[in-house]
Amino acid sequence: MRSYDQYCSIAKALDVVGDRWTLLIIRELLLQGSCRFTDLKNGLPGVAANLLSTRLRELEQAELIRREDAPPPVATTLYRLTETGLALEPALKALGLWGLRYMTTMRPEDAFLAQWLAYAPAWFVADVDPAAPSAVIQLSSGGTHAVVEVGAGRVDSRIGEVTDPDLVLDGPPPAVLGVLTGVIDIEQATQLGLSTRGRRDVLTRLRPVGRETGHP
């Protein structure tokens, strides 16, 4: 790793995690938990296997990740975040929240995976009406599916489908994620190809994290 050679905490942090792919490796380990090399590579479309191996070795040397031997029948090496690595979660959430403003368009070459559809609600939005009845939102985008459960002041999300959601949001990723996270309104999302079924009023309970008491 190259160093900025600056006695500054931001520079010191970037000395460790500022290389290409490094923070995305941390993202996948936060989302997936312990991972095989193959799991990580599948979650990082475009990364070369040799570069991923290099980054994992560097992160292990920096004590952000550790290797474990999975018991049979898996019997393979797993990568897991250490406490130091896990401590990066608030920084990644803040970076992702800041980056939402750039999510209104999607280039043809942009990859999109189900776990990214699933983590965005839990990380970036909050329930502003904890006293309201629980609600379930089904997200569908580009062949990927995720479920958002809102209730008691919590927003939880996961990959998958449910049989009887209160609201279905179906469309391209910029439309689904944009309206869910408040980057665009429902009319703009509809113009981008969003279709809805069910109770649109559920969306009024969601606000970007840090703006829970603000205006839509």
Side-chain angles (χ1 to χ4, degrees):
M1 293 186 185
R2 296 179 180 179
S3 174
Y4 286 100
D5 295 323
Q6 295 180 12
Y7 190 67
C8 160
S9 61
I10 296 173
K12 293 295 184 185
L14 291 175
D15 284 348
V16 179
V17 299
D19 283 333
R20 181 172 166 82
W21 294 106
T22 297
L23 285 178
L24 296 184
I25 293 170
I26 301 296
R27 177 198 68 190
E28 290 304 305
L29 289 170
L30 284 169
L31 298 179
Q32 300 188 51
S34 297
C35 285
R36 300 172 300 172
F37 183 90
T38 302
D39 298 327
L40 282 171
K41 191 171 187 310
N42 290 341
L44 297 164
V47 71
N50 61 340
L51 180 55
L52 178 56
S53 295
T54 298
R55 292 290 180 262
L56 289 172
R57 185 169 61 252
E58 292 169 346
L59 287 170
E60 189 174 10
Q61 291 170 351
E63 300 183 347
L64 269 67
I65 66 171
R66 64 173 180 267
R67 300 179 187 225
E68 302 176 340
D69 291 326
V74 179
T76 189
T77 299
L78 296 177
Y79 297 91
R80 178 190 292 272
L81 290 171
T82 63
E83 288 188 14
T84 301
L86 288 168
L88 282 166
E89 183 174 0
L92 261 70
K93 286 184 176 182
L95 188 62
L97 188 64
W98 179 81
L100 286 176
R101 69 196 69 200
Y102 302 109
M103 295 287 286
T104 55
T105 59
M106 184 177 183
R107 301 173 302 173
E109 65 269 26
D110 284 342
F112 186 71
L113 300 181
Q115 61 260 36
W116 306 340
L117 181 66
Y119 85 80
W123 278 26
F124 302 140
V125 297
D127 177 12
V128 296
D129 191 1
S134 298
V136 177
I137 305 172
Q138 176 72 65
L139 309 181
S140 298
S141 184
T144 63
H145 306 281
V147 177
V148 181
E149 297 173 333
V150 186
R154 290 178 52 87
V155 177
D156 297 303
S157 55
R158 56 182 170 81
I159 297 171
E161 299 180 74
V162 291
T163 56
D164 190 24
D166 296 283
L167 174 65
V168 176
L169 301 178
D170 190 355
V176 173
L177 291 176
V179 73
L180 192 68
T181 57
V183 173
I184 57 177
D185 61 31
I186 195 74
E187 288 76 18
Q188 292 171 307
T190 300
Q191 292 174 3
L192 291 175
L194 181 76
S195 65
T196 67
R197 186 175 72 253
R199 293 175 44 214
R200 285 189 178 186
D201 63 288
V202 174
L203 293 174
T204 64
R205 294 179 60 177
L206 303 178
R207 293 289 188 280
V209 171
R211 232 182 61 192
E212 293 89 341
T213 59
H215 297 287

